Amino acid sequence: MKRIWTRTLTTILCMLILVLPAMAADTPVNYDELNAAMNNVAPGSDAATAASIGPQGTNLGIRADMAAIDYSTLLTSWQPAAGYETPRMQMTNTGEERLNVFQGHDLTTLGALAGRILYAPSEPDNPTFRSDVAACSGATVDYFDASAGTPDVALLSTYDCVLVWADYPFADQVLFGDNLAAFVDGGGKVILGQWCLPTAGNYLSGAIMTAAYCPVTATTAQFSTVSYNNDGTDCVHTGVSAYSSNYFDQTTLLGGAFSDGTFNDTANSLAVAWRADRKVYYSPGNTGNTYGTGQWAQLLCNMCSCAAGDVDCACAGAFSSGDRVTATLSSPQGASGLSMGWGGTVICGAIGFPPLLISWDDWQNGHNGNGFCACPVDSLPDNSGWFVDCTDVTPSVNVDCACGGAYNTGDRVMALMNNPASQPDVFAGDHGTVISGYSAIPTIILISWDGVTSGHNGNGIADCPVTVLDNTSGWWVDCTEIAPVGGPVGTITCDYTVTPAVGTVPFSVNHRVTLSNLLTGGAVYARRVAGRIKVVLGGGTSYNPWRSGFTTIQPGASYFMQFPITFPAVPSVLGNNTFTLDAMDVTPTPYNQPPYPPSGTTCQKVNVVLANAP
């Protein structure tokens, strides 16, 4: 089992002491040798491949095919915007390591405008693309560099539509994804472009990439040119006949989602996909025309303007397509396998009885609508559909008294361990439906487990919402014993302390790193965890990664390591020295596939040490 940061204490101390005096004396530093030496994971090693969290061992110009850069001159001559890192070499999703220089956001103030669109990739601006989008939309089109910062929900809410795609690492991929989901919940629209799915080294995380928002799952990223087949019929392709990209994600459509058009690759990969309410799109190959040609601007204008239609021919107009609902009884209208509380998405209305088509989550025993959709005219790409009566469903609500409000009624979840809360007939990977919470004990939640009859109806304590099941499939479990079906599972956590946080040079600090496996229940839940520490010295020089590697952590266990570092009396360390720990679950196949939780959980901790002059 490989261990993170296996260099001895003597080696670590010598490294820092050797590096910093050389910088202080203004002697030329060989950055190639320096950074190669400071990385204990060699480029191309198994650890580097498994970690996938940075240019392992290729920082600051080691690549032989890149021109030499005088970093000492660059770092002293360039003044970064307050709060952002200095220019740094970063690996992009095209496979190139390039210098990322923050050139500023381009944001306008809110006014009486026809509309507002935000272009927010982890990539430099493309003013030509923004100008083309403004021309076809009549909207103001702003730019935010998501590699240098993360727009908060307040800023996002001033826009109608946001396009995001990944190239450089996001400043905070999880926070950005969570903010985008909150923006959608507030009525906004998000277009997810190329590499937002984890098909490359840098991608988007957070709530927006869960099955509740993103309409597709990742398959593979293709590094070859692909063109649109001009075969779309939906409003997203109105006036669009040709566009191509040098890169595109092959994706799989989720149940209840929709797509239009294909690419000319051998798999006829989908060109555009969207959630039923058209609030979230996935647009493979969409890099804001940075790595493509053709009508990408018009495609974006269409996606931002296409709207879901109300279901006004059924249920007295009480529902709109995309509304989330739950079943009020088991087997609504004879739907085999659906139990009370099961969640689904409203698709359309029909003239007749039963009138409401629902795409049921995690269920394929139905049909595609059978051509009866009248408002709007629509159909499903799978067999998740079933027509029900208006009283057979009720709107989904948040279970706000349990699990920190992480779940809504009807959400599909899976067990993370055998026999959660001692339920004898539920095992790791089994699926169930969120029913309710219990306000007196906010750490437990009521689940209706698929196919289980050895449970109860809630035992009369379900109160958010008040629910009594019409069967005995219910069982109260702890919030840590479940995770969303198709969504990220919190498998690891981390901690990192550097003490003391301030001192007068020379002085020593102690680094302590903890990586923990949150899962319990047996050897199958051992997780492989990758980590790195990157450092930005007070003088501006950065080392990324400074320490890196991975280790396997047994269920419910933690990995610890600590080491001291001495700050010598040299100018290079004076000021704020920032140490950042990044950790990621990189558990390999098959233990990151169902019934086991997926890999991908990340954790970040930042420490700042202020070094004062004598």
Side-chain angles (χ1 to χ4, degrees):
M1 180 177 68
K2 298 186 179 180
R3 290 289 184 184
I4 299 176
W5 313 298
T6 55
R7 294 189 181 279
T8 64
L9 171 60
T10 302
T11 302
I12 294 170
L13 288 171
C14 289
M15 276 293 186
L16 199 57
I17 292 172
L18 285 173
V19 172
L20 298 178
M23 295 167 60
D26 293 325
T27 31
V29 178
N30 186 326
Y31 284 91
D32 291 354
E33 294 179 1
L34 173 63
N35 285 279
M38 292 190 75
N39 284 281
N40 69 338
V41 178
S45 69
D46 291 342
T49 301
S52 298
I53 56 175
Q56 304 277 359
T58 61
N59 192 43
L60 294 181
I62 288 178
R63 287 170 55 115
D65 59 341
M66 297 187 67
I69 299 175
D70 185 347
Y71 285 92
S72 59
T73 301
L74 177 64
L75 292 171
T76 56
S77 63
W78 188 81
Q79 297 300 316
Y84 295 111
E85 292 185 54
T86 56
R88 64 272 188 202
M89 295 297 294
Q90 290 186 313
M91 188 64 73
T92 64
N93 285 338
T94 66
E96 302 171 293
E97 190 181 32
R98 300 199 303 264
L99 187 67
N100 187 5
V101 179
F102 175 60
Q103 298 175 339
H105 311 305
D106 186 6
L107 305 174
T108 59
T109 57
L110 185 62
L113 305 170
R116 285 167 59 81
I117 297 173
L118 182 63
Y119 179 53
S122 58
E123 175 76 0
D125 193 10
N126 187 337
T128 300
F129 173 72
R130 287 202 288 136
S131 178
D132 291 342
V133 173
C136 64
S137 66
T140 294
V141 184
D142 288 350
Y143 166 71
F144 190 101
D145 184 351
S147 74
T150 302
D152 58 22
V153 179
L155 175 62
L156 292 172
S157 65
T158 67
Y159 295 92
D160 305 297
C161 189
V162 177
L163 168 62
V164 55
W165 62 278
D167 198 6
Y168 287 109
F170 288 103
D172 191 324
Q173 66 187 60
V174 175
L175 178 61
F176 193 17
D178 289 343
N179 289 352
L180 287 169
F183 168 63
V184 169
D185 292 342
K189 181 176 289 190
V190 171
I191 315 301
L192 301 170
Q194 182 62 20
W195 292 309
C196 282
L197 285 165
T199 56
N202 303 318
Y203 55 91
L204 190 62
S205 298
I208 195 67
M209 300 311 299
T210 65
Y213 295 88
C214 183
V216 294
T217 57
T219 305
T220 57
Q222 299 296 314
F223 287 71
S224 58
T225 301
V226 68
S227 298
Y228 166 55
N229 281 326
N230 193 20
D231 56 352
T233 59
D234 187 77
C235 62
V236 296
H237 281 115
T238 299
V240 177
S241 59
Y243 56 91
S244 63
S245 177
N246 297 336
Y247 310 95
F248 70 103
D249 287 335
Q250 287 183 328
T251 59
T252 300
L253 197 68
L254 292 177
F258 299 87
S259 68
D260 187 63
T262 59
F263 288 130
N264 66 345
D265 64 314
T266 55
N268 286 324
S269 300
L270 62 86
V272 179
W274 60 91
R275 200 173 77 165
D277 62 357
R278 293 187 182 268
K279 292 296 185 182
V280 184
Y281 285 83
Y282 201 89
S283 182
N286 197 334
T287 61
N289 232 351
T290 299
Y291 297 118
T293 60
Q295 296 171 286
W296 288 103
Q298 184 63 59
L299 182 67
L300 177 61
C301 288
N302 291 348
M303 288 188 287
C304 287
S305 62
C306 287
D310 287 339
V311 182
D312 53 9
C313 66
C315 306
F319 297 100
S320 294
S321 57
D323 284 354
R324 293 288 299 164
V325 295
T326 61
T328 58
L329 72 168
S330 296
S331 303
Q333 304 301 317
S336 175
L338 295 183
S339 59
M340 179 182 176
W342 203 290
T345 302
V346 175
I347 301 301
C348 75
I351 309 301
F353 181 84
L356 194 64
L357 179 63
I358 306 298
S359 172
W360 296 99
D361 300 345
D362 197 23
W363 186 79
Q364 290 291 318
N365 295 328
H367 50 69
N368 69 353
N370 289 337
F372 290 110
C373 281
C375 59
V377 176
D378 220 333
S379 64
L380 288 165
D382 55 24
N383 292 320
S384 65
W386 199 259
F387 282 99
V388 299
D389 188 17
C390 302
T391 60
D392 291 340
V393 294
T394 189
S396 175
V397 297
N398 184 247
V399 183
D400 55 8
C401 71
C403 306
Y407 296 100
N408 294 327
T409 57
D411 284 356
R412 297 288 288 162
V413 296
M414 68 178 184
L416 294 180
M417 60 192 64
N418 294 333
N419 312 123
S422 301
Q423 216 302 336
D425 297 321
V426 176
F427 302 93
D430 285 355
H431 290 189
T433 304
V434 172
I435 300 299
S436 183
Y438 180 37
S439 58
I441 308 177
T443 58
I444 65 172
I445 193 165
L446 178 62
I447 306 298
S448 170
W449 293 101
D450 296 0
V452 168
T453 59
S454 57
H456 50 69
N457 68 355
N459 284 341
I461 64 173
D463 62 5
C464 67
V466 176
T467 304
V468 177
L469 290 170
D470 63 0
N471 55 57
T472 56
S473 63
W475 200 261
W476 292 94
V477 301
D478 191 88
C479 299
T480 62
E481 296 174 321
I482 60 170
V485 170
V489 177
T491 56
I492 67 164
T493 188
C494 65
D495 193 29
Y496 179 34
T497 59
V498 182
T499 54
V502 62
T504 299
V505 295
F507 69 103
S508 293
V509 298
N510 185 64
H511 295 246
R512 178 177 172 82
V513 173
T514 304
L515 304 176
S516 300
N517 179 355
L518 296 176
L519 302 182
T520 59
V524 295
Y525 289 120
R527 309 303 291 180
R528 178 180 291 182
V529 184
R532 70 177 178 189
I533 294 177
K534 57 185 178 182
V535 57
V536 181
L537 298 179
T541 303
S542 61
Y543 302 103
N544 178 19
W546 179 48
R547 295 285 182 269
S548 58
F550 70 87
T551 187
T552 298
I553 304 176
Q554 296 303 312
S558 296
Y559 167 73
F560 303 95
M561 60 89 66
Q562 61 182 7
F563 57 90
I565 288 292
T566 297
F567 283 84
V570 295
S572 304
V573 301
L574 297 182
N576 288 323
N577 298 267
T578 303
F579 297 87
T580 303
L581 168 69
D582 289 311
M584 177 182 286
D585 183 336
V586 293
T587 303
T589 302
Y591 298 110
N592 64 352
Q593 304 294 321
Y596 310 116
S599 54
T601 297
T602 60
C603 180
Q604 184 181 83
K605 300 292 181 181
V606 180
N607 292 280
V608 178
V609 178
L610 174 60
N612 293 316

